[in-house]
Amino acid sequence: MNLRVKEMKRGRKNLKQAASEQDFKLKQCHQSIAQMMETKRDNSLFKRKKRRSNRAYNLLVMGCFLGLPLRRRRRRSRDMSEIPQDLLIEILCRLPGKYLARFKCVSKQWSSLISSRYFCESLHTITQPKQEPHLYMCLVDKDGQSELLSLSPDKTCCFAVDQDLSIIGMGGYFLNGLHGLMCFSIRKRACIYNPTTGQRLTLPKIKPDIRAEPDQIRCIMRNHMGYDPVDNQHKLLSTIVIYSENLVNLKTEHWVFVLEAGGSWKKCVPHENHRPHAPFVAGKSISGSVLHYLAWHDMYTYVIVSFDFRSEEFTTIIAPVDVRYDIPAIQMRAELIEYGGKIAIFEYSYLETEGTTVLWVLEDAEKKEWSKKSFVLQPCQMHLVQDTELILKGTTQDGKVIFAPLEMHPGFYILCYDLQNNGLSKFEIKGIPHRWFDKECYFDLRLVNESSVIYLET
């Protein structure tokens, strides 16, 4: 009897213990669920705070550029979608291009707005502070490997390569630019690149009608950008040249591409008395709608060719005759520059040997009136140009002529020639990857305005 009572007591004890363990597990389950709900609420609150913080940051950046006073008191911020679109465009148009590229990540609505044609038109109509163009350097080796370097000036009379903005596989030959867009050639194709948005557009290959004869083995292609202000269109002029040795049997064709959706190459037919020419340097455009470049009719006759991107017509002006210009086309060194708001020919064939240069300024294109200026480098600066083959690589915004050594080497540099005070300054370029010094390569330098939000469509 006592044994049976003990077994009953032991059974009740086991039941109580099992019930207690089950209650403990249920309590743990409830605690876990409560903890998960609390974590979810914290994450939701964090995301809301993060969205508010991002919105506040964007408002802060925009407010700083517009000079708006910053309030210390916390106020409930309005949603950005409540800002009228006209006001939003007015605000965005006054920001630098790099911030516009960043603001495209705010939302799909902002990205669509900033990339729209209407916004680009508004951007060009609003007067913006004049910004210093950015210096870019293209490098291409004989195997077609390329790299685009972004260069920024520092306080030690040097340009340093910005590794974050440099792109391997980008860039090509005959670099030029307009309205923040860069143009270059690679594998007989023209490429357009927007450094602000990072967008690259490779145009279709041209199928020329002219063919090279057995003795005509040389073929070159020059691409120049321009702008039609009436139709608000960016265009590309491509000139294909075929010739024999010493520019004999010269043949040329000109093609125009409109940078718009569905764009294609269209052959440009010059007037009957148009004489074939071979462009030999990059072009120069003051207004953007008319392109000017130097070209050769033969080994000893060179002209200024002008192309109107609106009418798509060519005009030529024979360059002034000078005793110094009795130089074959292959040996002569000259390029068009802008001098005092006018087109000018800067000739520097004797810079390394004599330290002399000549500037011919086109005073009146209709009357074909020219003015001549001669420059002699200071003797104390002759060491900068002696024993070095230099090539002209454009001008700065304040009219200084940029020279660079013809070949890439360690300790690479550029020279800036100030025509106003006849002074020459040297700027070393630091940070060029060493692999480009160990092989033969082509390079080009151009100052490009980087504040462009033009969307490239084809």
Side-chain angles (χ1 to χ4, degrees):
M1 187 70 180
N2 292 334
L3 182 60
R4 190 169 183 175
V5 171
K6 288 182 180 180
E7 289 179 355
M8 290 177 65
K9 289 181 178 180
R10 190 182 298 112
R12 285 196 298 269
K13 185 177 181 181
N14 292 337
L15 288 174
K16 288 181 180 180
Q17 186 176 359
S20 177
E21 290 178 356
Q22 187 175 4
D23 291 341
F24 178 74
K25 290 181 179 180
L26 287 174
K27 186 176 180 181
Q28 280 188 328
C29 184
H30 286 305
Q31 289 178 352
S32 298
I33 293 174
Q35 188 175 4
M36 290 173 62
M37 294 297 293
E38 185 67 25
T39 303
K40 187 175 181 180
R41 282 196 298 270
D42 291 342
N43 289 338
S44 178
L45 180 61
F46 173 75
K47 290 180 179 179
R48 287 198 300 271
K49 288 183 177 179
K50 186 177 181 180
R51 285 197 295 268
R52 292 174 184 172
S53 175
N54 292 338
R55 190 183 303 122
Y57 170 75
N58 291 332
L59 286 171
L60 177 63
V61 172
M62 295 170 65
C64 290
F65 278 104
L66 294 174
L68 300 178
L70 303 180
R71 301 174 181 266
R72 292 181 176 274
R73 199 177 82 186
R74 294 186 59 184
R75 298 182 62 182
R76 185 178 179 180
S77 61
R78 298 177 60 191
D79 191 270
M80 293 301 294
S81 61
E82 298 179 14
I83 299 180
Q85 182 168 316
D86 293 342
L87 178 59
L88 184 58
I89 292 177
E90 190 78 13
I91 295 173
L92 292 175
C93 283
R94 283 167 168 75
L95 300 181
K98 60 181 180 180
Y99 289 99
L100 290 175
R102 179 183 299 176
F103 287 160
K104 291 180 67 176
C105 303
V106 173
S107 66
K108 292 182 179 179
Q109 180 185 2
W110 279 40
S111 178
S112 176
L113 174 63
I114 295 174
S115 302
S116 66
R117 179 177 292 273
Y118 177 74
F119 179 79
C120 293
E121 293 175 357
S122 303
L123 184 68
H124 288 302
T125 57
I126 293 179
T127 303
Q128 294 182 317
K130 199 170 185 179
Q131 299 179 11
E132 188 72 19
H134 207 72
L135 184 61
Y136 288 93
M137 184 178 193
C138 277
L139 295 160
V140 187
D141 64 12
K142 60 181 180 180
D143 297 326
Q145 302 296 321
S146 61
E147 185 171 3
L148 179 65
L149 303 180
S150 175
L151 309 174
S152 301
D154 59 16
K155 299 179 180 180
T156 61
C157 294
C158 297
F159 280 87
V161 175
D162 193 335
Q163 302 296 340
D164 295 334
L165 298 179
S166 300
I167 306 175
I168 297 178
M170 184 67 71
Y173 299 93
F174 312 123
L175 179 65
N176 64 85
L178 179 71
H179 294 166
L181 298 177
M182 300 170 59
C183 174
F184 52 86
S185 302
I186 192 74
R187 296 183 182 90
K188 295 184 179 181
R189 294 195 179 203
C191 296
I192 310 295
Y193 174 64
N194 189 334
T196 300
T197 62
Q199 187 183 11
R200 172 178 171 171
L201 177 64
T202 302
L203 302 186
K205 190 176 181 179
I206 299 176
K207 298 180 180 179
D209 296 330
I210 56 175
R211 293 290 184 270
E213 301 294 335
D215 63 334
Q216 293 179 312
I217 57 176
R218 301 180 182 228
C219 178
I220 62 173
M221 183 177 71
R222 289 287 193 272
N223 299 310
H224 299 99
M225 288 195 63
Y227 177 68
D228 180 358
V230 178
D231 293 335
N232 188 30
Q233 294 175 331
H234 283 82
K235 298 181 180 181
L236 191 70
L237 172 67
S238 182
T239 300
I240 298 176
V241 183
I242 296 176
Y243 59 94
S244 302
E245 189 175 358
N246 295 329
L247 295 181
V248 179
N249 299 325
L250 183 63
K251 297 180 182 179
T252 58
E253 257 187 11
H254 308 281
W255 296 78
V256 175
F257 191 98
V258 180
L259 297 179
E260 63 180 6
S264 61
W265 288 106
K266 180 183 69 172
K267 187 176 179 180
C268 181
V269 181
H271 50 76
E272 295 181 358
N273 58 351
H274 178 75
R275 187 177 173 184
H277 61 266
F280 68 101
V281 289
K284 184 67 179 178
S285 177
I286 295 179
S287 62
S289 60
V290 180
L291 170 72
H292 309 276
Y293 59 87
L294 282 177
W296 292 94
H297 284 324
D298 52 48
M299 287 293 289
Y300 290 94
T301 305
Y302 73 103
V303 296
I304 294 180
V305 179
S306 300
F307 180 76
D308 191 326
F309 280 95
R310 172 57 185 164
S311 62
E312 298 184 358
E313 294 181 351
F314 287 92
T315 57
T316 58
I317 301 176
I318 301 295
V321 179
D322 193 297
V323 178
R324 288 170 56 95
Y325 291 169
D326 190 19
I327 306 172
I330 300 176
Q331 300 177 10
M332 182 176 176
R333 298 180 187 175
E335 187 169 344
L336 285 185
I337 65 172
E338 180 183 348
Y339 185 80
K342 300 177 181 179
I343 288 295
I345 301 175
F346 186 79
E347 187 267 330
Y348 59 100
S349 302
Y350 299 100
L351 177 62
E352 293 90 348
T353 57
E354 302 176 3
T356 59
T357 58
V358 174
L359 183 70
W360 284 93
V361 183
L362 183 59
E363 301 292 349
D364 193 321
E366 294 183 0
K367 298 180 181 180
K368 299 179 181 180
E369 294 180 352
W370 298 83
S371 64
K372 178 182 177 182
K373 298 178 182 294
S374 299
F375 301 91
V376 180
L377 196 63
Q378 301 175 27
C380 62
Q381 295 184 326
M382 280 297 297
H383 69 282
L384 295 175
V385 297
Q386 287 178 337
D387 302 325
T388 304
E389 196 170 1
L390 299 173
I391 185 170
L392 198 151
K393 290 296 183 180
T395 58
T396 63
Q397 279 188 326
D398 54 358
K400 296 178 181 178
V401 180
I402 301 175
F403 287 105
L406 188 61
E407 297 181 356
M408 180 66 59
H409 56 77
F412 191 77
Y413 62 92
I414 61 174
L415 299 174
C416 288
Y417 191 8
D418 191 341
L419 301 181
Q420 300 298 327
N421 58 21
N422 196 31
L424 199 62
S425 302
K426 182 178 179 180
F427 296 88
E428 186 180 354
I429 297 181
K430 298 181 179 180
I432 299 177
H434 290 282
R435 61 179 177 274
W436 293 105
F437 301 139
D438 301 331
K439 56 184 176 181
E440 184 179 351
C441 68
Y442 163 90
F443 78 91
D444 205 350
L445 283 167
R446 286 296 170 211
L447 286 170
V448 179
N449 189 347
E450 60 178 357
S451 59
S452 172
V453 291
I454 299 173
Y455 185 77
L456 303 175
E457 294 181 299
T458 55

